[in-house]
Amino acid sequence: VGKSVNTSLVYDDEGEDNHKDEVEDLYVALQTAQQRFPTVQAVSSGAILSTYQRVRIENVCSRLGLTSLSYLWRLSPQKELLERMLEDGLDAVLVKTACPPGLIPQKHLNKTLFALHSSGLFQRLHDLYQFHMCGEGGEYETLVLDCPTLYKKRLVLDEVEIVETDDDGVGSLVIRKCHAEEKPGEDSAPCTPVESNTTTTGHTSSVSEDTEKAAPQPPPMNNHPCVSLPHARRVSGGLLHLSEIIAPLVPRQGSSPSSTEADLAVKEALAIFQLLEKVLAVNDATAQDVLFVHVYLSEISHFASINQHYRDFFGTQLPPSRSCVAVGKGVLPGGRRILLDCMVQCGSGPYLRSTETEAHPYAMAARCTSTSKLREVLHVQSISHWAPVCVGPYSQANTLRSGLHFLAGQIGLIPSSMTLQTSWDRQLEQCWINIASVLDALDAGSLANMISGLVYVKDDIYASENNNALHVVESICRQQLLTNGGVVPSAIDSAAVTYGGYEDEDTWREMTQTNSTIKVTQPLLIVSIPEMPVGAEVEVEVICATQRAASCLDIHEKSFVLEEKIIKPDLREMELWDSGHDFPSSPTQQSDEAIRINVASRSIGNSCAAVSLVTANVLLSKEEPSIPALVDTDQILDDMLTAWVNSIVKDSSGLCMDNVLHIRLYYVASMLSTSENGTTIEAKDEGTRLRCALISVLASIWCKHWKSRPPHVPACTVVPVQAMTMIQLGGTEDAGSIQHGENHLLAMQIVALDAVHMETETWIHHGREDQGFSTR
């Protein structure tokens, strides 16, 4: 019998000693089951939060060509899930305890889950010690004796023995004798748990607690639907964000030797679309309701192969906008080749396409409103001088409730020829020109209405010329924002009054004595990645307020800096993260490092919409200009989110934690280093521990602020990148904002909005500035 040899969260069955691992015993057992029962197609596991358990079952299933079913994975809060299982008649007893003094082997082993939970013990332990009520922290293990819908017979334990270790308070229930018995008919009363003949071995713990009383019988089974929406957040008005959608299984070339990496990526994409279709259906939505999609690939060469299947799923009529980039091999979860997330406005598909009276409730309600539109799509498929045709089945822009434009990622294509500009800096200029052209076509908008900006830069450019490229990026972005990419809003529609009626900008400044120094107040996140579509070297993705909303609602800019904080990792107590790489380091030689948390937000209106960038920067000393080898991930994430919470209290956006729709966390996933013998080493991190830490910290912080009701934790996506920098364009044309001596460790993009409230605020204030209704 094997043991836990490979204890990494990511299980690699090709490890040197993995033949001794207990996972290989599971492989043999399931392989035997397949041989005896050839019709077996899937394996169902009860993983609730345990990534460790789930990935091992997925690994075995993948090797055997089986489907892994984990319907309990992140289904609901543990207390709610436990109560639902007990209501459904699940009868299980504790067979192992490992959390003294909370659970005592002599007292709690062989007791039913129903008895322990109904006594209030689990709740008290949770309040005192953050006890996992479903045992997901390893607090206890159970054996199911009966499950009404699955078991034909009930398991009865006739003779058991409690074995307790000498010093750590861990105990196990050894089953000496048992039998299966027929269950009563449907009209009979629920079964009464049979008390087995229990003996004990080992010492008896001196810790005692009066917890168990005569427990009532389980209630009759309550058949209700179990719906799983992992990484999902729904806010008012039917706006939904689905994050980190990945294929349940990772296709391997071993099972299909003739398959290429692109073929395997297609298989993953098809599995994702199948999963997405089901999740959308649960939310009374379809693929036609999706308004924006982020696609992260391991290699951009998969782009063409996946595109056709993407087209089949989303269609070519009014498709969502899209951003698609490659983040590198081996850095997506479980070695996958594609990760997807999307924003959904329920009912917007029927709203755009149907004129029938019977439609989706949100579509019907939106048709009753003449002052705004639930969703609008700009999908131009003709080559012109205006802006590039989308490279694939997606739209240039999707507009939500006449308040926010979500623009597809723009690369430096010349619209008329659909060819890239000849150099990366000219490509960047062309990106901004294309974006300004799209905004102008939408509603005579401009880059001044931007509330979020993200610039992708190819990794070799980002790291070139001693980071001088970053200064070029900053200069180009500032200049393009100052001039709106050279596009005069509404000029093409003959509706613009250019420069106050004067013939040019210089005359306007001279006659009106306008200061020639214009300030640009816009934070931008610059991230380095390996590849972008069609060989592009830069890509820009933005979210903008509509011109209608920006004309009557204030746009605010706020920045907040947490005081420098010295980090001293305690290796004995902390779960540490390796900053994205696994280079050897000596814990005894760590030096103090300072972490600076920066928050920069841009919002529109009061309680309408805001996008914040939060970065954690390591301040490098001249003596030791290197990133700390180990950092306390939980603490840094907690500091970042706490700094953001403090910043929203200080700014005038009016938004709160309940308005957060989505959080995107960027981290450095790979780094090159030179070993002692001179060879180059590339270390990669697929972010498994970082994902777990983010989910844990989010749950903790949101629970603190919502004590009276279950917290609405936002959806989150963890994105691997090569490097990142936040540029705060808050100065003049010549001001610089790149900080030297800092290394960006993590960066968050936090999207908070109340689209329905923004729709109402715009209706109240638009066109009524002369009546005192404007917020400006």
Side-chain angles (χ1 to χ4, degrees):
V1 178
K3 297 182 179 180
S4 299
V5 177
N6 182 346
T7 57
S8 171
L9 284 178
V10 179
Y11 182 78
D12 182 5
D13 56 271
E14 298 178 356
E16 181 178 352
D17 296 325
N18 279 9
H19 64 281
K20 303 177 183 178
D21 199 287
E22 61 186 358
V23 176
E24 299 311 307
D25 293 338
L26 176 62
Y27 176 86
V28 173
L30 290 178
Q31 188 179 50
T32 303
Q34 276 187 303
Q35 294 170 354
R36 293 185 59 187
F37 307 99
T39 58
V40 170
Q41 299 179 9
V43 174
S44 179
S45 65
I48 298 171
L49 289 178
S50 174
T51 300
Y52 184 92
Q53 174 187 351
R54 178 179 55 80
V55 298
R56 279 153 175 75
I57 295 174
E58 290 175 351
N59 176 276
V60 172
C61 289
S62 176
R63 291 153 62 188
L64 294 174
L66 295 170
T67 301
S68 174
L69 308 177
S70 298
Y71 290 116
L72 298 184
W73 180 251
R74 303 191 60 79
L75 175 65
S76 60
Q78 290 194 49
K79 179 180 179 181
E80 177 185 333
L81 179 59
L82 178 60
E83 291 175 346
R84 289 170 63 177
M85 290 190 290
L86 295 176
E87 288 173 2
D88 281 346
L90 184 75
D91 184 16
V93 295
L94 267 64
V95 295
K96 184 176 182 179
T97 59
C99 59
L103 293 178
I104 305 168
Q106 305 295 337
K107 192 175 185 65
H108 299 126
L109 285 176
N110 202 31
K111 300 296 182 183
T112 65
L113 276 179
F114 182 82
L116 295 174
H117 179 62
S118 61
S119 71
L121 173 62
F122 284 3
Q123 185 62 56
R124 290 197 296 274
L125 293 178
H126 173 74
D127 294 340
L128 288 172
Y129 310 115
Q130 293 299 301
F131 174 89
H132 289 244
M133 300 186 75
C134 285
E136 283 299 285
E139 294 87 347
Y140 65 84
E141 295 181 12
T142 61
L143 172 66
V144 176
L145 304 181
D146 188 18
C147 183
T149 58
L150 293 178
Y151 285 19
K152 295 181 179 180
K153 294 184 178 182
R154 172 184 172 80
L155 182 65
V156 178
L157 306 183
D158 299 311
E159 183 178 344
V160 297
E161 179 182 1
I162 295 177
V163 178
E164 186 176 359
T165 56
D166 293 331
D167 53 2
D168 59 3
V170 175
S172 300
L173 186 72
V174 179
I175 301 171
R176 300 299 184 187
K177 185 179 179 181
C178 65
H179 73 278
E181 68 177 18
E182 297 293 337
K183 297 197 293 184
E186 294 182 356
D187 297 332
S188 303
C191 295
T192 302
V194 178
E195 292 294 334
S196 56
N197 180 19
T198 305
T199 60
T200 63
T201 300
H203 74 276
T204 301
S205 173
S206 60
V207 181
S208 63
E209 183 177 350
D210 184 18
T211 56
E212 279 74 50
K213 299 181 181 179
Q217 295 301 316
M221 183 178 66
N222 178 21
N223 289 321
H224 49 74
C226 293
V227 179
S228 178
L229 288 178
H231 298 279
R233 173 73 169 104
R234 183 164 182 157
V235 295
S236 62
L239 185 61
L240 176 72
H241 203 289
L242 303 173
S243 300
E244 293 212 321
I245 306 173
I246 56 178
L249 300 176
V250 183
R252 292 172 175 266
Q253 283 187 321
S255 59
S256 302
S258 61
S259 298
T260 65
E261 278 293 303
D263 294 333
L264 299 178
V266 168
K267 290 183 179 180
E268 285 190 36
L270 292 174
I272 287 175
F273 296 145
Q274 185 178 16
L275 175 61
L276 179 56
E277 183 178 23
K278 295 178 180 178
V279 175
L280 289 171
V282 167
N283 286 274
D284 196 18
T286 68
Q288 294 181 346
D289 296 319
V290 178
L291 63 92
F292 200 97
V293 178
H294 281 92
V295 181
Y296 300 102
L297 302 173
S298 61
E299 300 178 69
I300 205 64
S301 59
H302 303 332
F303 182 78
S305 301
I306 292 173
N307 240 352
Q308 181 57 50
H309 302 284
Y310 184 99
R311 181 193 307 271
D312 294 340
F313 183 78
F314 287 106
T316 57
Q317 182 183 21
L318 304 176
S321 300
R322 183 177 76 182
S323 173
C324 178
V325 296
V327 294
K329 296 181 181 179
V331 295
L332 291 176
R336 287 171 171 80
R337 302 164 184 86
I338 177 172
L339 181 148
L340 181 146
D341 67 32
C342 59
M343 185 179 295
V344 185
Q345 174 55 61
C346 298
S348 63
Y351 172 83
L352 290 171
R353 293 168 172 84
S354 177
T355 57
E356 300 176 1
T357 55
E358 294 184 5
H360 195 283
Y362 286 115
M364 295 174 64
R367 291 199 187 108
C368 298
T369 304
S370 60
T371 56
S372 63
K373 296 181 179 180
L374 181 63
R375 177 181 162 205
E376 298 171 88
V377 178
L378 180 65
H379 185 210
V380 179
Q381 303 179 71
S382 300
I383 295 178
S384 67
H385 290 282
W386 163 70
V389 176
C390 293
V391 185
Y394 60 96
S395 300
Q396 283 88 354
N398 271 249
T399 303
L400 176 64
R401 293 187 180 273
S402 299
L404 291 175
H405 296 311
F406 295 88
L407 275 67
Q410 284 285 346
I411 57 178
L413 288 170
I414 303 170
S416 59
S417 63
M418 290 297 292
T419 58
L420 288 168
Q421 289 281 6
T422 54
S423 61
W424 74 265
D425 52 341
R426 297 188 67 178
Q427 286 183 31
L428 181 57
E429 292 176 351
Q430 188 67 53
C431 288
W432 288 111
I433 294 171
N434 294 341
I435 291 173
S437 298
V438 171
L439 290 173
D440 180 45
L442 286 167
D443 61 351
S446 71
L447 295 172
N449 303 335
M450 186 168 65
I451 63 172
S452 172
L454 175 65
V455 180
Y456 295 105
V457 179
K458 200 170 185 299
D459 50 5
D460 57 349
I461 295 172
Y462 187 99
S464 65
E465 302 176 16
N466 296 320
N467 284 333
N468 182 60
L470 288 179
H471 293 281
V472 177
V473 170
E474 180 184 24
S475 175
I476 292 174
C477 292
R478 175 176 283 105
Q479 182 61 30
Q480 294 300 309
L481 289 172
L482 282 169
T483 61
N484 194 46
V487 176
V488 179
S490 292
I492 297 177
D493 301 317
S494 301
V497 180
T498 309
Y499 305 123
Y502 295 99
E503 59 268 30
D504 55 42
E505 181 178 1
D506 293 335
T507 304
W508 169 63
R509 294 189 185 282
E510 181 181 352
M511 298 302 295
T512 59
Q513 297 183 350
T514 301
N515 191 334
S516 60
T517 301
I518 300 177
K519 291 186 177 181
V520 178
T521 53
Q522 174 67 58
L524 293 176
L525 184 62
I526 316 298
V527 298
S528 169
I529 57 173
E531 298 175 294
M532 280 155 274
V534 299
E537 296 178 297
V538 290
E539 180 173 336
V540 180
E541 176 188 328
V542 302
I543 302 173
C544 294
T546 63
Q547 181 60 27
R548 183 172 183 266
S551 66
C552 60
L553 303 177
D554 270 335
I555 293 181
H556 312 278
E557 304 88 17
K558 295 289 181 180
S559 60
F560 177 82
V561 179
L562 183 68
E563 293 183 1
E564 296 175 8
K565 183 175 182 179
I566 303 299
I567 57 172
K568 296 182 179 180
D570 187 345
L571 302 178
R572 298 168 300 177
E573 300 180 0
M574 296 179 181
E575 177 69 21
L576 300 174
W577 177 56
D578 61 0
S579 309
H581 38 86
D582 299 318
F583 301 132
S585 60
S586 175
T588 59
Q589 298 179 357
Q590 294 181 46
S591 61
D592 294 344
E593 300 286 351
I595 296 288
R596 173 183 290 158
I597 307 297
N598 296 305
V599 183
S601 300
R602 194 165 168 90
S603 61
I604 180 169
N606 182 31
S607 304
C608 293
V611 179
S612 302
L613 295 178
V614 187
T615 60
N617 307 332
V618 182
L619 307 183
L620 306 178
S621 62
K622 294 182 179 179
E623 292 76 15
E624 297 185 54
S626 61
I627 196 168
L630 296 172
V631 295
D632 181 3
T633 313
D634 287 49
Q635 186 59 57
I636 292 179
L637 291 173
D638 188 277
D639 287 343
M640 293 174 74
L641 289 167
T642 301
W644 176 80
V645 171
N646 293 336
S647 72
I648 64 173
V649 174
K650 295 182 179 182
D651 68 20
S652 54
S653 69
L655 294 163
C656 64
M657 295 172 64
D658 203 31
N659 300 121
V660 179
L661 176 68
H662 181 250
I663 295 177
R664 200 175 304 276
L665 176 65
Y666 299 89
Y667 74 101
V668 177
S670 63
M671 183 174 290
L672 297 177
S673 179
T674 303
S675 63
E676 295 180 357
N677 60 10
T679 60
T680 300
I681 302 174
E682 182 180 12
K684 296 183 178 181
D685 178 14
E686 62 181 42
T688 303
R689 282 181 287 175
L690 189 60
R691 285 176 171 86
C692 295
L694 176 60
I695 293 171
S696 175
V697 172
L698 280 172
S700 175
I701 292 180
W702 257 250
C703 283
K704 290 179 184 177
H705 287 78
W706 299 110
K707 296 180 180 179
S708 61
R709 59 183 174 86
H712 298 297
V713 178
C716 55
T717 304
V718 179
V719 182
V721 298
Q722 304 293 315
M724 70 200 94
T725 299
M726 183 172 73
I727 295 179
Q728 181 67 44
L729 298 180
T732 62
E733 296 182 29
D734 299 324
S737 64
I738 298 176
Q739 299 295 322
H740 295 280
E742 294 189 13
N743 191 306
H744 286 63
L745 187 63
L746 297 170
M748 285 183 184
Q749 182 195 57
I750 302 177
V751 179
L753 75 158
D754 186 339
V756 176
H757 182 72
M758 185 173 183
E759 184 179 35
T760 303
E761 285 287 291
T762 304
W763 174 78
I764 292 173
H765 298 290
H766 185 260
R768 306 185 187 184
E769 292 81 358
D770 57 343
Q771 301 177 29
F773 285 98
S774 176
T775 64
R776 300 184 70 85

